[in-house]
Amino acid sequence: MTHYMGLLAVRQPWNLLLFMALPVVLAETLAITELVMLLARRGDRPAPGWVTKVSHWAGLLAGPVWVFIGQHLLITAVVPLTVHGGWRGPADVIAVLSYLAGACRYW
């Protein structure tokens, strides 16, 4: 099990909700609302106002959520694992760093 999967398994269901569900829901909401606005622009009428508002608020929430998650994982996982040599192999490093790459979009 990678450290990322171990993190999700600890303190069920809170870590799973905080580190997996919340960021995925916000990212998917942004993707879908942006797609709706893009496709509506090609038609003869704009996207409904509520779609624009949902996109706006999802974007405002996604930034701080990803920054918090990124800082938390850097402080509590990446730095200690690197300093003490606790990585479980290349798959572990790839899993954690790929997840953190999502936070780099908002920094």
Side-chain angles (χ1 to χ4, degrees), residues 26-69:
L26 289 172
E28 291 298 324
T29 301
L30 276 171
I32 291 168
T33 54
E34 292 294 326
L35 185 61
V36 167
M37 289 188 299
L38 180 67
L39 292 176
R41 189 179 309 166
R42 294 176 63 194
D44 37 336
R45 57 184 183 172
W50 67 269
V51 173
T52 306
K53 289 182 182 182
V54 167
S55 177
H56 177 77
W57 284 105
L60 287 176
L61 288 173
V65 166
W66 273 107
V67 169
F68 167 76
I69 290 172

Side-chain angles (χ1 to χ4, degrees), residues 3-98:
H3 281 94
Y4 172 67
M5 295 306 291
L7 171 72
L8 295 178
V10 176
R11 294 188 322 169
Q12 282 287 343
W14 303 112
N15 278 3
L16 187 61
L17 291 172
L18 177 66
F19 293 107
M20 181 64 89
L22 182 61
V24 168
V25 166
L26 289 172
E28 291 298 324
T29 301
L30 276 171
I32 291 168
T33 54
E34 292 294 326
L35 185 61
V36 167
M37 289 188 299
L38 180 67
L39 292 176
R41 189 179 309 166
R42 294 176 63 194
D44 37 336
R45 57 184 183 172
W50 67 269
V51 173
T52 306
K53 289 182 182 182
V54 167
S55 177
H56 177 77
W57 284 105
L60 287 176
L61 288 173
V65 166
W66 273 107
V67 169
F68 167 76
I69 290 172
Q71 287 178 343
H72 177 74
L73 287 180
L74 281 172
I75 293 169
T76 61
V78 174
V79 172
L81 290 173
T82 304
V83 169
H84 301 297
W87 292 106
R88 297 181 182 146
D92 193 25
V93 176
I94 292 169
V96 172
L97 294 181
S98 296

